[in-house]
Amino acid sequence: MSPEWKKLFNIIILGLGFMFMFTAFQTCGNIEQTVIKSFNSTEFHGSGYTSMAIIYGVFSASNLIAPSVVTLIGPQLSMFFSGLLYSGYIAMFIYPYTWSFYTVSVLVGIGAAVLWTAQGNVLAINSSDNTIGRNSGIFWTVFISLTVISLVGCFLFFLIRKPEPESSSSDMSESQLHAESSDGSSTACKMFVTKEMLLLSVSIGYTGLELTFYSGVYGTCIGAMTQFGKDAKGLIGISGICIGIGEILGGGVFGMLNKNNRFGRNPVVLLGLITHFLAFYLIFLNIASDAPVAPEEGTNLQGYITPSLWVALLCSFLLGLGDSCFNTQLLSIIGFTFRNNSAPAFAVFKFIQSIMAAIAFFYSNFLHLQWQLLILVVAGFLGSITFFMAEHKVESSRRDSDYDSI
């Protein structure tokens, strides 16, 4: 197997591992608040929103130590043991206890930071300046694809092969990445205050807010709409499938377009923004305002139009499509801009994203739908503007570098 094909093989295996693991976890997140409401009639008392807020809050804080952990035990073992924590969290729903529910949430938050930092490390090791966009798209496409297996994903990480070193200066060897990330925490802190990362942080923060909305809040809203019929809660899974279809389509198409980035990343991000704004507007019209905080019995209220199941599922698709637009381009620009320090860069990325997701899960306990949508609209607009500014800066630096090399 040639070095280039070996690297591509590693990216595909990485995506498959995340696909198996996070389909189970994301499905759990989609139905968690609804399931927890039914548990609250027993001795168990908890909140799915609070659990996810704990996960993402700890996730954010743990990103400060994650690069050092990945450097110490390597990316494969980091992803394997982190994956086991995700599987344990899902298995806990078989017979939950309040104290263990929140304790395991803390452990999953720590594992998540290590997992995603290791993912960024593997992605950078197996990519070059010319392939980082393509590989980001392949990873995102495969990652979002549907499956029901979690533990299989953990063991797939052992199939990743060590790529052969190349003489090209554009490819970062594993030893270089290891050396440069040996002081990962301090490097991540320094990287956080760079102009490029400060600009991108607004976009990253928006992806954290909308991650909370599509993975936890919107499915709960659909399940709470009694006007969708007595089987409304069963529609949560169908909504998740529609989100996944949007993610797959966007990740595949827009990720692959990065290979020929004639027009840059801005058009894809703009399309993601328009797609999300359309989804938010339709959700505002179609879903009752109290749906995110409705009791177990659901809500009898309606939005500004007669509730339509097809409109609700269309919005699910649009949420997934828009999310993939933002994420493929953020992975691409971060992987290119910080290719010499990939592990700290992706740690900062997940730090910002997870802290915003934790904040969003916290306010989802009491904010009605219209206010959550308003926050998303404002954050999405600001995030897109700052992304355009960061992309302009990156492209200017690339042109200057190409000019100097002539």
Side-chain angles (χ1 to χ4, degrees):
M1 184 181 292
S2 67
E4 185 62 29
W5 277 106
K6 184 179 290 184
K7 291 182 177 183
L8 182 59
F9 174 81
N10 288 343
I11 296 298
I12 294 173
I13 290 296
L14 182 70
L16 283 172
F18 272 70
M19 175 188 76
F20 290 141
M21 200 161 31
F22 276 90
T23 297
F25 181 74
Q26 295 286 29
T27 301
C28 179
N30 285 338
I31 65 174
E32 182 172 352
Q33 180 67 5
T34 302
V35 172
I36 293 301
K37 286 179 183 178
S38 64
F39 283 151
N40 284 338
S41 61
T42 64
E43 295 180 357
F44 177 85
H45 298 284
S47 167
Y49 289 152
T50 302
S51 170
M52 298 301 286
I54 292 172
I55 289 175
Y56 283 101
V58 176
F59 184 178
S60 178
S62 299
N63 275 293
L64 298 176
I65 63 170
S68 299
V69 174
V70 173
T71 300
L72 181 64
I73 67 175
Q76 284 177 297
L77 288 177
S78 298
M79 291 188 289
F80 175 74
F81 289 115
S82 299
L84 292 180
L85 292 175
Y86 276 90
S87 300
Y89 179 80
I90 297 168
M92 184 191 58
F93 281 84
I94 298 174
Y95 197 77
Y97 292 94
T98 304
W99 66 269
S100 63
F101 180 55
Y102 292 132
T103 301
V104 176
S105 298
V106 172
L107 295 177
V108 170
I110 297 172
V114 176
L115 179 72
W116 281 98
T117 300
Q119 172 266 338
N121 185 278
V122 172
L123 184 62
I125 289 174
N126 292 277
S127 301
S128 66
D129 292 353
N130 296 326
T131 62
I132 183 65
R134 179 203 67 185
N135 290 346
S136 299
I138 292 173
F139 166 76
W140 201 252
T141 303
V142 180
F143 161 43
I144 296 298
S145 300
L146 297 176
T147 188
V148 294
I149 305 172
S150 177
L151 284 172
V152 172
C154 303
F155 290 95
L156 276 173
F157 294 134
F158 285 111
L159 295 177
I160 294 177
R161 305 175 184 180
K162 184 178 181 180
E164 297 176 4
E166 299 181 14
S167 59
S168 173
S169 60
S170 63
D171 289 347
M172 290 297 294
S173 69
E174 187 172 4
S175 60
Q176 287 175 300
L177 286 168
H178 186 283
E180 293 180 3
S181 62
S182 58
D183 191 16
S185 299
S186 61
T187 304
C189 292
K190 293 176 183 177
M191 191 175 295
F192 182 78
V193 296
T194 61
K195 184 175 294 185
E196 293 85 355
M197 188 59 78
L198 287 175
L199 287 172
L200 291 173
S201 64
V202 183
S203 306
I204 297 169
Y206 169 67
T207 65
L209 295 177
E210 55 100 3
L211 167 67
T212 293
F213 186 77
Y214 81 75
S215 68
V217 176
Y218 187 56
T220 301
C221 291
I222 292 178
M225 292 290 292
T226 57
Q227 297 194 42
F228 286 155
K230 62 180 181 179
D231 296 325
K233 291 180 173 58
L235 300 174
I236 298 176
I238 300 177
S239 171
I241 292 174
C242 293
I243 292 173
I245 293 173
E247 295 274 14
I248 294 168
L249 178 62
V253 174
F254 303 122
M256 294 302 180
L257 285 179
N258 280 331
K259 188 175 182 180
N260 182 19
N261 56 352
R262 176 182 175 185
F263 300 105
R265 303 175 182 89
N266 287 345
V268 179
V269 171
L270 180 60
L271 177 62
L273 179 68
I274 295 173
T275 300
H276 271 174
F277 276 12
L278 176 60
F280 297 154
Y281 178 67
L282 292 176
I283 291 170
F284 174 73
L285 296 177
N286 194 48
I287 302 295
S289 62
D290 66 337
V293 295
E296 167 65 15
E297 297 76 21
T299 176
N300 293 318
L301 300 179
Q302 69 177 55
Y304 293 90
I305 62 174
T306 302
S308 169
L309 173 59
W310 295 109
V311 171
L313 296 181
L314 171 63
C315 291
S316 298
F317 170 80
L318 294 176
L319 288 174
L321 180 63
D323 179 69
S324 67
C325 291
F326 277 95
N327 276 286
T328 54
Q329 304 315 300
L330 282 170
L331 285 175
S332 176
I333 193 172
I334 291 174
F336 174 80
T337 306
F338 304 102
R339 56 193 176 279
N340 295 340
N341 287 288
S342 60
F346 282 102
V348 172
F349 171 80
K350 298 310 294 187
F351 170 81
I352 299 170
Q353 186 182 64
S354 55
I355 194 65
M356 296 307 296
I359 293 172
F361 272 114
F362 173 75
Y363 67 60
S364 296
N365 279 300
F366 54 86
L367 274 189
H368 280 207
L369 181 62
Q370 68 269 27
W371 302 115
Q372 296 193 40
L373 292 174
L374 178 61
I375 292 172
L376 288 169
V377 167
V378 173
F381 176 77
L382 295 177
S384 298
I385 295 298
T386 55
F387 184 94
F388 299 156
M389 296 170 63
E391 171 73 353
H392 176 73
K393 181 174 177 58
V394 169
E395 287 301 311
S396 297
S397 299
R398 189 211 294 262
R399 286 193 294 269
D400 292 342
S401 177
D402 291 342
Y403 177 78
D404 292 339
S405 64
I406 297 177

